[in-house]
Amino acid sequence: MLEIIQSGGWMMVPIIIASILALAISVERFWTLRATQIAPADLLSRVWGWMKNKQLDANRIKELRESSPLGRVLAAGLMNARNGRQIMKESIEEVASHEIHEMERYLNALGTVAAVAPLMGLLGTVFGMIQVFSEIMIQGTGQANVLAGGISEALITTAAGLVVAIPALICHRILQRRVDEIVVFMEQEAIKLVDVLHGEREVSDPVESRESRA
């Protein structure tokens, strides 16, 4: 493996750095973007329980805000519930936009790695082919083994770039899809909260939220 990397030339260095970056981002985002940590399915039902038992005070709202990103969104709505439906929705949207930005952190970098890695591999191949043709000009075409070896070495960077780009692209698509699903769920929970507090919806069964998530 080390010989292959060395034979790929100096362009293997940025490709290896890109692979380490893609791996680090993928592991961190898969660990961070867990639905149970960001948007627990039973969180809204707990809020319903506090409301029914008249336990929804400042301490409960603080607990809710510190529990998860969805908790911060719901807490923003609860804190502004008395200011009218529009103000409540705006406060929820403001907090939600910040949480969405946090969830999408590093995803652009991962997408960039997926797009740039094949180009770096192609650039390495172009440099390698330039060297091959330089050898042809010097030694002629009589030494086929030398030329074949040079061409195979030039193609190593293209292969390396694709090896990095394909998993990075797959991870980027999976993570982006996960973010989209979490955002949709958070929007649904926030809308339920707004409608209930402003009399446009009855408090649902606590189990309903879990069943809809499943």
Side-chain angles (χ1 to χ4, degrees):
M1 180 63 70
L2 182 60
E3 293 178 358
I4 294 176
I5 293 175
Q6 291 175 343
S7 63
W10 65 270
M11 276 303 298
M12 290 296 292
V13 175
I15 292 175
I16 292 173
I17 294 174
S19 68
I20 295 172
L21 179 63
L23 179 61
I25 293 174
S26 298
V27 172
E28 190 274 340
R29 287 291 89 186
F30 273 113
W31 176 256
T32 302
L33 295 176
R34 291 172 293 163
T36 55
Q37 299 296 320
I38 295 179
D42 63 341
L43 187 58
L44 188 59
S45 64
R46 275 186 274 164
V47 175
W48 298 151
W50 295 339
M51 293 172 62
K52 289 179 180 179
N53 298 324
K54 298 182 179 180
Q55 298 175 340
L56 190 61
D57 53 14
N59 291 330
R60 290 293 190 183
I61 293 178
K62 181 180 179 181
E63 176 186 342
L64 182 65
R65 187 169 57 246
E66 295 175 351
S67 64
S68 63
L70 176 59
R72 286 188 282 275
V73 171
L74 299 180
L78 291 170
M79 293 173 64
N80 292 275
R82 297 180 180 179
N83 297 326
R85 180 184 178 90
Q86 187 62 32
I87 299 298
M88 184 179 178
K89 288 183 64 177
E90 289 177 359
S91 63
I92 288 175
E93 290 171 358
E94 181 179 351
V95 175
S97 64
H98 174 73
E99 297 300 333
I100 293 171
H101 177 75
E102 289 296 315
M103 285 189 288
E104 291 179 339
R105 179 184 292 181
Y106 308 132
L107 291 188
N108 284 339
L110 183 60
T112 300
V113 170
V116 171
L119 298 180
M120 291 192 295
L122 181 60
L123 181 60
T125 297
V126 170
F127 287 147
M129 294 302 295
I130 291 174
Q131 294 177 358
V132 169
F133 284 110
S134 297
E135 291 294 327
I136 291 176
M137 292 177 62
I138 296 173
Q139 301 182 17
T141 58
Q143 299 182 0
N145 292 335
V146 174
L147 297 179
I151 293 173
S152 65
E153 290 178 3
L155 293 176
I156 288 175
T157 54
T158 296
L162 292 175
V163 168
V164 173
I166 293 173
L169 180 60
I170 293 173
C171 290
H172 179 266
R173 295 291 176 85
I174 293 174
L175 290 168
Q176 189 63 61
R177 176 64 178 175
R178 182 174 296 186
V179 170
D180 293 341
E181 291 176 350
I182 293 173
V183 168
V184 170
F185 178 74
M186 291 173 67
E187 289 177 350
Q188 292 174 345
E189 299 294 272
I191 291 172
K192 290 178 186 177
L193 180 66
V194 173
D195 290 346
V196 167
L197 292 180
H198 289 275
E200 298 180 12
R201 184 198 295 254
E202 295 182 358
V203 176
S204 59
D205 187 344
V207 181
E208 179 182 347
S209 179
R210 299 192 190 97
E211 292 178 347
S212 62
R213 190 71 184 279

